[in-house]
Amino acid sequence: MRYSRYLIPTMKEDPSDAVVSSHRLMMRAGLVRKESAGMYVYLPLGHKALRKIINIVREEMDNSGALEFLMPELTNADLWKESGRWNTMGPEMFRIKDRNNLEYALGPTHEEAFTNAVRSTVTSYKELPINAYQINTKFRDEIRPRFGVIRSKEFIMKDAYSFDVDEEGLDKSYQTMRSVYRKIFDRCGLATIPVQADTGNMGGSASEEFMVASEVGEETLLICESCSYRANQEKAVFKREEKSGSITGELEKVHTPDVKTIDDLVKHFSAESSKFLKSILYTADGETVMAVVTGDREINEIKLKNHLGCVELELASDDKIFEATKSPVGFAGPVGIKNIRIVFDLSVKNTFDAITGANEKDYHYKGVNPGRDFEIKEEADLVTAVEGDACPECGKKLSATKGIEVGHIFKLGYKYTKAMNFTFLDKNGRPANPIMGCYGVGVTRTLAAVIEQNHDEKGLMWPKEIAPFDVHIVGICKTEEDEKKIAEIYEEIKKAGFDALYDDRKNSPGIKFADADLIGLPLRITVGKSFFDTGDIEALDRKTKEIKRLQRKELVPYLKEFFGR
Ligand code: ATP
Ligand code: MG
């Protein structure tokens, strides 16, 4: 492709709203343009790279035996009502009506649609397993679209749904997808870390996210360097310290006016934060629940929600708190509370002479001891693991890293096939529900993640398999005759099967080199003064910066060696 005939609107300056490298560089190298918040136009160069990722995803999915579908983006509300998610999907789902007032959603995910499509075509165990997938646009009304295409309102996802006759089959499908995902990301030049992820209360039994380590990642991963434990912080568990101690004091009520936060309490009582029991009240599907954790820890609402098995969990209103504790916000504690469900974190039982709210305005208790002053009837892991906590598997210290989630695999179970009454006839001729898994790759987010991982201060550094072109030919000459000679080399490279971007513009060499660095194709071939003087062509490896000087006849063999084709 001749640069002069292509459209690459590179920018010298960083766009003001781009805070992460991938967003900045995708704009500057002319891959995308912003249409409005969370919506992007893929310009030809960006689209070409995206197509390469899509092709890799498609090839690997097809190789695994998965079947490609193309689903409507407009999904009928009836399907969502069947699964019960019309009411639980929340404001992230775009809902619209047609002229006849029929309701639809713009597909944010397609469990219902695929369950429906497969149930209408599969009747017997003989037709299973099936892994059905599509590569299609998803719509999500994200609260905060940001970081360019990393979190947008409209994005491309590969979503796949497996249907198996039994759990063993599901496990096979899941493991197949796990290895397919590794291949996909490897081929994209992306180093990913699979981490254990939250399975929510969907009845799922296993879930892993594929993370790309990055400072701009929105997820926190806890990683054990000594063993293979890797988990999303939402899900991560840790080994609890065995604390020994003894009860020394009596339960004592202390006047604590204006002492509300853990920091205030630490100052007031001059005690460590772990001595305090934080009691937080929630409304879980309408019911008031108290969660009690030690003061040195953050409560993990995902763990709490999973433990309670509720759909909606929110902090209790002041009125509800007063109703349950007979005191205003800031003085709740488990002592003497009988009328509501209380869940204790696993560490609470190991506290001695603790301090907690007295369920009375301006009062706390000290000398609080579990067992003596309140009973632990229900306990669960309710807190967030942090860096330095002990690995649940080997006991060594966990470290924390930020990550971008590019893919997610999930054992869904029977949730959709049961709710939507999808049955097949099993070996014995009896109706049974298939068991499902679902598997997503954020295709557009993957493109951004590749760029996060492959750039320098001058611009992009494309991995070979997904680079929009293989080589960037910079031609530098003054006469038309010389231009013809450069064009011959361009034709020769094309003929040898390499996709070349030939910068034939009349711009200065400085501008051409800067654009070549910014666009970042794997190999830059300069045909300029030294070619016309001595026949030397310069080949620059964008990543290693290594320069080779080649004679014309050496060029194609070198390209073959460089690209391994
Ligand atoms: P996140 O926690 O980042 O919101 P999610 O858990 O909602 O992700 P899934 O529903 O598992 O994501 O979707 C599968 C994949 O789609 C994700 O792994 C991610 O790569 C991609 N993805 C999700 N939301 C977006 C978005 N708003 N913009 C771009 N890609 C997205
Ligand atoms: Mg999301």
Side-chain angles (χ1 to χ4, degrees), residues 469-506:
F469 292 92
D470 299 320
V471 294
H472 194 132
I473 303 170
V474 176
I476 302 166
C477 62
K478 293 213 172 74
T479 64
E480 246 171 59
E481 211 167 298
D482 284 352
E483 201 283 326
K484 272 191 194 134
K485 285 187 189 139
I486 302 172
E488 269 173 30
I489 295 175
Y490 161 57
E491 292 299 335
E492 194 175 315
I493 290 174
K494 272 205 303 188
K495 223 179 253 154
F498 297 95
D499 198 7
L501 177 67
Y502 164 32
D503 193 345
D504 60 341
R505 295 176 299 171
K506 303 264 176 290

Side-chain angles (χ1 to χ4, degrees), residues 333-504:
V335 181
I337 296 287
K338 298 271 184 271
N339 52 342
I340 55 166
R341 182 171 174 189
I342 310 181
V343 189
F344 295 90
D345 176 59
L346 300 173
S347 292
V348 173
K349 62 174 174 288
N350 286 328
T351 53
F352 299 91
D353 298 334
I355 300 158
T356 181
N359 300 316
E360 188 177 334
K361 185 173 175 350
D362 294 341
Y363 283 95
H364 279 79
Y365 281 125
K366 66 179 201 179
V368 180
N369 287 283
R372 185 189 73 184
D373 304 316
F374 61 86
E375 203 184 334
I376 298 183
K377 281 197 202 136
E378 186 176 347
E379 65 169 0
D381 174 10
L382 296 185
V383 298
T384 301
V386 294
E387 183 156 61
D389 279 340
C391 170
E393 277 163 22
C394 72
K396 297 270 164 50
K397 279 195 168 136
L398 295 171
S399 59
T401 310
K402 292 274 177 209
I404 301 171
E405 177 195 325
V406 286
H408 191 182
I409 56 176
F410 197 112
K411 285 188 183 175
L412 267 177
Y414 296 100
K415 177 176 158 113
Y416 297 95
T417 54
K418 279 200 171 142
M420 297 178 67
N421 195 27
F422 171 12
T423 57
F424 65 94
L425 291 181
D426 70 11
K427 264 191 188 137
N428 306 312
R430 277 194 288 263
N433 299 113
I435 184 163
M436 273 176 83
C438 68
Y439 318 92
V441 171
V443 176
T444 38
R445 188 184 282 183
T446 295
L447 175 62
V450 167
I451 294 169
E452 284 297 331
Q453 242 180 28
N454 296 280
H455 70 269
D456 63 11
E457 68 295 342
K458 289 183 174 166
L460 304 175
M461 299 192 303
W462 287 105
K464 288 173 190 158
E465 263 216 74
I466 64 165
F469 292 92
D470 299 320
V471 294
H472 194 132
I473 303 170
V474 176
I476 302 166
C477 62
K478 293 213 172 74
T479 64
E480 246 171 59
E481 211 167 298
D482 284 352
E483 201 283 326
K484 272 191 194 134
K485 285 187 189 139
I486 302 172
E488 269 173 30
I489 295 175
Y490 161 57
E491 292 299 335
E492 194 175 315
I493 290 174
K494 272 205 303 188
K495 223 179 253 154
F498 297 95
D499 198 7
L501 177 67
Y502 164 32
D503 193 345
D504 60 341

